[in-house]
């Protein structure tokens, strides 16, 4: 029986016509972000695991439970002897086998010495040195005990210790990136982008990976669109401009029903005092909290505010708000940030529970939600992270950005399209008579040159049926060409939503379509 191959659980194929919607979203991102002077960065999918341990925290769920990791083995001989020593199935009553074990241990130590002398090491030097020293000490101890005639049974504990020490010799741990901000910052430091004048404004588009339970709109291979601003400025207007760009992008994609939530999480001066106050209040009600929230009281009290458990909501609502504990500088920054949003006519709501759990986040934090996605209705989150570059070994740098879940955005957009709120096609050509086909073909070419998506059928179809096909194609407009239009050297533009029709010249038609249905495509 032939094996039936299928996509790995938590991944999926993106097929036409859905792939067309993906392309439209990604093209819209590139177009909109470019108008704000953001440039694309393409990042590797594989990164050092330590990068995410450092940025996200060793104890975070993403690192400890969800990240896909693998061991990079560059020096094959080292790993052969490491595996032989650590996995040795030693027969305690067989002296010859013990000789072979000692030989494998000797070769492992020789390989470690070679690696310590290499300029480009496959392991961090401290790991190499520690493993070599421990194994060398116990190898000498093993030799001395054997010379004294200690029985193999008496050496059993020592051999197990050596095997455990050998198992700690590992290649560089790599990880499939679970998010991209840390990768952007790594590239910013590695390539010296901080030496360039002005702000560094970057965006990325691509897949991320997390080992979590697949659910609606969430996959183990998922996709993000994100943007980051790195440099010397932490002006509130910059935060507002990044959010403005995000909302323009969502609007151009066709998602106009969304809600922007904002908050301030203070700084290193005022947040620690609030965290201690929050921890104290949580201790009083911990018996009424779930296991995760009780654990977070000690590790990261801010994360308790993120809880989605229904039974915890009344408790969380009564907890003190960080907005009441901001220092003067943070309070002033938050007020100016809100004024910047108002000046841009951007609607928002303050959510005092909106937090980021890591220390390098500071002040502005925000989230965008969309209807129809269930309890987990956030499609985008972001904020200011002024301490991340320094944490990863770079110079003092301000940072601001967001990451948007493309899968969840597409889910929201499909619901909009199903409700008739978004069209997939700009123009459907309807022609009547052989002479009209040539005119339709020429006009379709001109429309497509302007970036206006156009469908043209080459089999003559009755008017009613052709308009029905235009409707089923979700076309925004139909362009009608018949004997009357040819005689007047004009075209009839039919609005497929309202049914209204107008006779326009070719230049008027192109201008009308570029200003409405094909505006975004014409910008390319």
């Amino acid at each position: 029986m032939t094996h039936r191959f299928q996509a790995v659980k938590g991944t999926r194929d993106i097929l036409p016509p859905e792939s067309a919607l993906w392309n439209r979203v990604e093209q819209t991102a590139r177009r909109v972000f470019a108008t704000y002077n953001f440039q694309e960065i393409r990042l590797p999918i594989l990164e050092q695991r330590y990068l995410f341990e450092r940025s996200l925290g060793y104890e975070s769920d993403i690192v400890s439970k969800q990240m896909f990791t693998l061991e990079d083995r560059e020096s094959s001989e080292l790993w052969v002897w490491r595996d032989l020593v650590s996995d040795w199935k030693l027969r305690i009553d067989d002296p010859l086998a013990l000789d072979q074990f000692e030989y494998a241990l000797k070769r492992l130590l020789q390989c470690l010495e070679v690696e310590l002398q290499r300029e480009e090491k496959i392991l961090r030097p401290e790991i190499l040195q520690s493993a070599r020293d421990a194994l060398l000490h116990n190898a000498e101890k093993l030799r001395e005990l054997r010379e004294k005639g200690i029985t193999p049974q008496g050496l059993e504990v020592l051999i197990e210790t050596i095997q455990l020490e050998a198992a700690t010799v590992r290649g560089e741990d790599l990880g499939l990136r679970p998010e991209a901000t840390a990768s952007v910052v790594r590239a910013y430091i590695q390539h010296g982008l901080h030496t360039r004048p002005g702000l560094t404004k970057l965006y990325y588009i691509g897949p991320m990976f997390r080992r979590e339970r697949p659910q609606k709109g969430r996959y183990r291979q998922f996709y993000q669109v994100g943007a980051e601003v790195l440099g010397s400025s932490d002006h509130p207007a910059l935060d507002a401009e990044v959010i403005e760009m995000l909302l323009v992008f969502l609007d151009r994609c066709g998602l106009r029903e969304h809600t922007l939530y904002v908050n301030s999480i203070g700084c290193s001066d005022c947040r620690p005092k609030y965290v201690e106050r929050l921890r104290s209040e949580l201790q009083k009600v911990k018996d009424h909290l779930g296991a995760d929230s009780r654990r977070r009281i000690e590790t990261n009290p801010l994360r308790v505010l993120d809880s989605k458990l229904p039974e915890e909501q009344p408790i969380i609502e009564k907890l003190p708000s960080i907005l009441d504990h901001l220092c003067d500088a943070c309070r002033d920054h938050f007020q100016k940030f809100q004024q910047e949003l108002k000046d841009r006519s951007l609607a928002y709501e303050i959510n005092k529970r909106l937090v980021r759990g890591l220390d390098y986040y500071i002040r502005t934090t925000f989230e965008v939600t969309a209807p129809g996605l269930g309890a987990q209705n956030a499609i985008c989150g972001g904020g200011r992270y002024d301490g991340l570059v320094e944490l990863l070994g770079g110079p003092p740098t301000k940072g601001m950005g967001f990451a948007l879940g493309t899968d969840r955005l597409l889910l929201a957009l499909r619901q909009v399209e199903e409700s008739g709120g978004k069209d997939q096609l700009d123009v459907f050509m309807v022609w009547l008579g052989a002479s009209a086909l040539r005119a339709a073909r020429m006009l379709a070419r001109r429309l497509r040159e302007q970036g206006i998506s156009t469908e043209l059928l080459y089999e003559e179809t009755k008017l009613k049926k052709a308009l029905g096909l235009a409707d089923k194609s979700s076309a925004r407009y139909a362009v009608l060409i018949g004997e009357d239009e040819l005689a007047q050297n004009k075209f009839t533009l039919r609005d497929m939503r309202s049914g209204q029709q107008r006779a326009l010249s070719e230049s008027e038609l192109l201008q009308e379509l570029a200003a409405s249905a094909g505006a975004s495509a014409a910008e390319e």
Side-chain angles (χ1 to χ4, degrees):
M1 179 177 170
T2 303
H3 180 76
R4 184 179 180 182
F5 291 100
Q6 294 185 328
V8 175
K9 182 180 180 181
T11 70
R12 81 283 193 214
D13 302 303
I14 300 171
L15 307 174
E18 184 182 9
S19 57
L21 184 57
W22 280 78
N23 288 333
R24 176 162 66 83
V25 166
E26 293 175 358
Q27 290 166 4
T28 300
R30 291 187 169 93
R31 208 161 43 237
V32 171
F33 296 171
T35 64
Y36 286 80
N37 196 31
F38 279 73
Q39 297 176 306
E40 184 175 10
I41 181 171
R42 300 199 178 191
L43 300 159
I45 288 175
L46 275 177
E47 294 275 12
Q48 293 175 326
R49 176 185 171 95
Y50 184 61
L51 172 67
F52 302 109
E53 290 176 342
R54 185 69 172 151
S55 61
L56 299 174
Y58 297 94
E59 301 301 325
S60 67
D61 287 347
I62 294 176
V63 171
S64 64
K65 300 178 182 179
Q66 298 174 356
M67 192 161 63
F68 289 94
T69 60
L70 61 154
E71 185 180 356
D72 185 17
R73 298 185 173 193
E74 188 174 321
S75 177
S76 59
E77 187 178 5
L78 172 63
W79 307 120
V80 168
W81 297 113
R82 191 284 303 267
D83 289 346
L84 280 172
V85 172
S86 61
D87 299 334
W88 194 274
K89 304 302 182 187
L90 184 63
R91 289 174 55 189
I92 298 300
D93 59 348
D94 187 349
L96 179 60
L98 193 53
D99 289 340
Q100 294 171 336
F101 177 78
E102 276 199 275
Y103 177 76
L105 179 55
K106 178 181 178 181
R107 294 303 306 272
L108 173 59
L109 285 165
Q110 290 173 345
C111 290
L112 285 172
E113 290 292 348
V114 171
E115 294 303 326
L116 279 167
Q117 302 306 317
R118 285 178 50 163
E119 292 185 6
E120 294 184 4
K121 298 178 176 59
I122 61 173
L123 295 170
R124 294 198 294 275
E126 64 272 18
I127 295 178
L128 279 172
Q129 191 72 48
S130 175
R132 194 280 309 268
D133 291 347
L135 286 169
L136 183 59
H137 171 75
N138 283 315
E140 292 175 352
K141 188 176 180 180
L142 176 61
R143 179 178 54 79
E144 292 172 358
L145 292 177
R146 290 197 72 193
E147 288 177 353
K148 292 180 180 180
I150 303 297
T151 63
Q153 290 87 345
L155 299 174
E156 187 173 358
V157 173
L158 178 59
I159 291 170
E160 290 179 355
T161 301
I162 291 173
Q163 290 184 301
L164 290 172
E165 289 167 348
T168 65
V169 179
R170 293 182 54 83
E172 182 175 55
D173 279 344
L174 303 179
L176 297 179
R177 63 186 187 199
E179 58 96 43
T181 299
S183 296
V184 171
V185 172
R186 188 266 309 149
Y188 177 81
I189 298 169
Q190 179 179 343
H191 300 290
L193 300 185
H194 57 277
T195 62
R196 298 181 181 181
L199 296 172
T200 298
K201 303 167 78 173
L202 303 168
Y203 74 88
Y204 57 84
I205 298 173
M208 312 294 159
F209 303 85
R210 293 184 192 175
R211 185 186 287 108
E212 57 182 348
R213 183 174 62 85
Q215 53 184 296
K216 183 179 181 181
R218 293 185 181 274
Y219 302 91
R220 290 179 170 179
Q221 177 177 325
F222 60 100
Y223 296 81
Q224 285 187 346
V225 173
E228 316 289 350
V229 182
L230 297 160
S232 59
S233 177
D234 62 353
H235 197 287
L238 182 60
D239 297 4
E241 183 176 275
V242 170
I243 293 175
E244 177 187 72
M245 180 181 76
L246 167 64
L247 297 183
V248 169
F249 163 63
L250 293 177
D251 186 70
R252 294 280 179 85
C253 286
L255 186 68
R256 296 179 176 85
E257 289 189 30
H258 49 68
T259 304
L260 168 65
Y261 294 100
V262 302
N263 194 23
S264 175
I265 56 173
C267 65
S268 57
D269 290 331
C270 56
R271 187 166 63 240
K273 299 174 185 176
Y274 168 72
V275 169
E276 286 308 310
R277 169 75 187 280
L278 180 62
R279 179 179 284 116
S280 176
E281 294 299 317
L282 287 170
Q283 289 287 0
K284 299 176 183 177
V285 296
K286 66 179 182 180
D287 292 341
H288 302 285
L289 299 174
D292 281 345
S293 292
R294 288 198 301 270
R295 175 175 52 84
R296 288 169 177 164
I297 292 176
E298 296 303 325
T299 60
N300 199 336
L302 288 176
R303 291 295 310 281
V304 178
L305 302 178
D306 281 335
S307 171
K308 301 297 188 294
L309 294 178
E311 61 270 22
E312 293 186 350
Q313 303 313 301
I315 299 173
I316 294 173
E317 283 297 324
K318 296 177 182 179
L319 294 172
S321 167
I322 192 170
L323 295 178
D324 297 329
H325 296 78
L326 297 178
C327 62
D328 291 341
C330 289
R331 187 177 297 107
D332 180 63
H333 187 279
F334 190 49
Q335 290 173 349
K336 290 179 178 177
F337 165 64
Q338 291 181 74
Q339 188 58 51
E340 289 287 344
L341 294 177
K342 294 173 183 176
D343 291 346
R344 289 169 167 78
S345 300
L346 301 178
Y348 69 91
E349 296 180 23
I350 295 176
N351 180 359
K352 65 181 182 180
R353 292 172 50 181
L354 187 58
V355 296
R356 292 288 182 269
L358 301 174
D359 290 342
Y360 56 76
Y361 281 104
I362 183 174
R363 294 181 175 168
T364 304
T365 183
F366 66 92
E367 185 177 81
V368 177
T369 64
L373 297 179
Q376 301 288 341
N377 60 351
I379 59 171
C380 178
R384 178 160 288 284
Y385 49 88
D386 291 355
L388 181 56
V389 177
E390 289 177 83
L391 182 68
L392 296 181
T397 306
K398 312 295 184 183
M400 170 69 182
F402 65 81
L404 178 144
T406 314
D407 305 86
R408 296 181 67 73
L409 172 60
L410 268 292
L411 185 61
L413 289 177
R414 283 194 293 271
Q415 293 181 353
V416 170
E417 290 185 354
E418 289 170 1
S419 65
K422 181 65 182 178
D423 306 297
Q424 296 180 354
L425 180 66
D426 293 327
V427 174
F428 192 99
M429 304 291 296
V430 177
W431 56 273
L432 302 172
S435 56
L437 174 58
R438 184 175 183 278
R441 187 170 62 244
M442 296 299 293
L443 178 60
R445 180 175 179 177
R446 295 189 184 96
L447 292 174
R448 289 164 177 163
E449 287 174 349
Q450 297 298 314
I452 299 170
S453 60
T454 305
E455 179 62 83
L456 171 63
L457 302 182
Y458 289 93
E459 291 77 22
E460 186 170 7
T461 308
K462 292 184 178 180
L463 178 61
K464 184 176 181 180
K465 183 178 180 180
L467 290 176
L469 291 173
D471 185 59
K472 291 179 180 178
S473 299
S474 299
R476 179 70 181 87
Y477 295 97
V479 173
L480 282 59
I481 307 174
E483 293 182 0
D484 291 343
E485 284 79 11
L486 291 173
Q488 299 174 24
N489 199 25
K490 290 191 174 183
F491 303 94
T492 297
L493 179 66
R494 180 183 178 89
D495 188 318
M496 294 302 295
R497 294 179 184 172
S498 65
Q500 295 180 347
Q501 298 184 171
R502 287 180 293 161
L504 302 172
S505 66
E506 182 176 317
S507 60
E508 291 172 336
L509 180 69
L510 288 171
Q511 183 177 0
E512 176 75 14
L513 292 174
S516 53
S520 60
E523 293 175 5
E524 293 186 4

